[in-house]
Amino acid sequence: MISSIDDFRKKLLFRSCHRGTKEMDLLLGGFFKENYQVLSESELLEFQDILELTDKDLSDWLIMNKSNEDIENITISKKIKEFVFVVDKNK
């Protein structure tokens, strides 16, 4: 259980926008900025798990569309991928 949901959201927002690569900052940070208000506590915890993954693994999975069972087994990964493809189509 998260003691302070607002503080936890702030922490995730910072971490999602300061990844190390600009691409992941934009993709993960963009997803989180647009969805943080509606994510459940369990989804926030899953998003934290996503943030523990390397930018290389996430980039291969999101941008290069390489399969990664470790990522795909995290439920929120589907929402992230859907967000990225919607953003890409709107360009």
Side-chain angles (χ1 to χ4, degrees):
M1 183 172 188
I2 300 169
S3 60
S4 171
I5 197 84
D6 289 331
D7 288 343
F8 191 62
R9 284 182 177 135
K10 288 176 188 176
K11 175 184 170 184
L12 294 178
L13 175 61
F14 180 84
R15 289 186 61 210
S16 66
C17 293
H18 297 85
R19 294 282 309 165
T21 64
K22 192 65 171 174
E23 294 85 357
M24 288 299 103
D25 291 352
L26 294 172
L27 295 175
L28 293 177
F31 168 81
F32 195 73
K33 285 176 187 174
E34 198 150 310
N35 293 284
Y36 76 95
Q37 295 283 3
V38 296
L39 295 176
S40 68
E41 185 173 326
S42 63
E43 288 174 320
L44 291 172
L45 291 168
E46 288 179 351
F47 190 72
Q48 182 180 31
D49 292 340
I50 292 282
L51 294 177
E52 295 299 323
L53 299 167
T54 67
D55 282 355
K56 171 77 170 113
D57 288 342
L58 289 167
S59 178
D60 286 349
W61 175 71
L62 275 172
I63 299 168
M64 305 304 289
N65 208 27
K66 293 182 180 178
S67 180
N68 185 317
E69 285 186 34
D70 291 336
I71 298 172
E72 291 160 3
N73 287 332
I74 302 171
T75 307
I76 198 169
S77 67
K78 182 178 179 185
K79 287 184 178 183
I80 295 169
K81 196 156 229 185
E82 288 171 356
F83 171 82
V84 168
F85 285 118
V86 167
V87 168
D88 190 44
K89 287 180 183 177
N90 291 332
K91 287 184 179 180

